[in-house]
Amino acid sequence: MAAWGLRLGVAKPSEIGAVMGRVNRTYSTSPVFSEVLRLPKRQLTKLVFPLQELERHLVSDPRPDLHLRIFDPSLEDIARAEDVFTPTARHRIEYVSSAVRLDHAPDLPRPEVCFIGRSNVGKSSLIKALFSLVPEVEVRVSKKPGHTKKMNFFKVGKYFTLVDMPGYGYRAPEDFVDMVETYLKERRNLMRTFLLVDSVVGIQKTDNIAIEMCEEFALPYVMVLTKIDKSSKGHLLKQVLQIQKFVDTQTQGCFPQLFPVSAVTYSGIHLLRCFIANITGNLKTNG
Ligand SMILES: Nc1nc2c(ncn2[C@@H]2O[C@H](COP(=O)(O)OP(=O)(O)OP(=O)(O)O)[C@@H](O)[C@H]2O)c(=O)[nH]1
Ligand SMILES: [Mg+2]
């Protein structure tokens, strides 16, 4: 439980108001997040805690082991994570370089996280959304699958590095396996791999390429469900439960909580920022 004993799930609207006042007073939150905190409770939950919003439809599910959320930070934690993604004169967030081979990758000592998944699943769009507080950082997205051909490295101040990967499957670069497999196997400072799955179609056969690599190299990885703005709530819930079951029964190294996101509505983006800040050792959370 958070220090001041409150989570959105149990908060009454009056309590949320009190928390918002407290968050705004105590932390230098970005103006954007202050706007978020002023949203009505229902909208705020949908935007910041999309899984919690879905869980409301599971109250009648009798399975006692059905815990969709493990990483469950407070709004206060999430507000602090916004600062990690907000640039200042001394905290620069920028593109560093691109590489087609691991030995061309920049020598950055900080913890690193990378984003992999099928071509067109939304990797570059997700990174662009994570960096929305730094619009001058250029992250190229495209309707055409196979757009990102190189590993692109972005530095978040002295905190961590984030890597946008080319996709696998349709129109993947020819050297995809050599490039990505070597990176995943040998990059020493790789802390976490985010494996993106399109919420409209769920896990596909080609995703086994990434799942097998992560499992074989014993990498800690996390599944992110993209494009949730395109799915109905019912469809999304079905996908979440199906993928959750897959993760529980077929994987060893996958984090048991899924992260649903939309690069269009920004749903789930604040929570993912908080998770990344936390796992790279830059933010202690109470959840
Ligand atoms: N509606 C919706 N569309 C999205 C979302 N994320 C990405 N897209 C669209 O999906 C398409 C592919 O997005 P990218 O971010 O370029 O996908 P990618 O995984 O980087 O693709 P490659 O670089 O080819 O591997 C683009 O047309 C995006 O606008 C989302 O959250 N919602
Ligand atoms: Mg891309």
Side-chain angles (χ1 to χ4, degrees), residues 2 4 7 23 27 29-30 33 47-50 70-86 113 115 126 129-131 133 156 159-160 162 191-192 194 222 224 255 257 259-261 266-287:
W4 23 275
R7 288 229 186 290
V23 169
Y27 300 99
T29 53
S30 70
F33 199 64
L47 179 64
V48 182
F49 301 107
I70 293 140
F71 179 70
D72 197 16
S74 63
L75 273 177
E76 181 189 6
D77 297 326
I78 294 173
R80 284 191 295 128
E82 292 291 294
D83 289 346
V84 173
F85 284 85
T86 305
V113 297
F115 293 75
L126 174 58
L130 289 169
F131 285 160
L133 304 167
V156 179
Y159 294 157
F160 55 88
L162 204 148
M191 298 280 292
R192 206 65 60 108
F194 290 90
V222 182
V224 174
F255 190 64
Q257 176 175 332
F259 286 82
V261 294
Y266 283 50
S267 184
I269 297 296
H270 304 283
L271 185 66
L272 192 57
R273 282 183 187 143
C274 186
F275 185 67
I276 294 171
N278 177 253
I279 52 147
T280 53
N282 294 296
L283 184 86
K284 278 211 166 76
T285 63
N286 295 309

Side-chain angles (χ1 to χ4, degrees), residues 146-162:
H147 186 74
T148 308
K149 298 286 183 206
K150 299 177 176 180
M151 304 185 278
N152 297 317
F153 294 78
F154 299 89
K155 193 164 92 175
V156 179
K158 294 200 169 92
Y159 294 157
F160 55 88
T161 308
L162 204 148

Side-chain angles (χ1 to χ4, degrees), residues 116-128 139-149 164-168 170-173 196 198 225-230 261-266:
I116 62 171
R118 288 188 308 120
S119 42
N120 214 45
V121 72
K123 300 173 292 295
S124 302
S125 301
L126 174 58
I127 291 171
K128 202 178 165 87
V139 188
R140 296 215 183 111
V141 308
S142 169
K143 276 192 186 125
K144 270 200 204 151
H147 186 74
T148 308
K149 298 286 183 206
D164 186 11
M165 290 287 189
Y168 47 79
Y170 185 60
R171 295 194 59 202
L196 277 58
D198 187 329
L225 279 191
T226 62
K227 309 190 187 183
I228 62 169
D229 57 287
K230 288 174 89 175
V261 294
S262 165
V264 172
T265 64
Y266 283 50

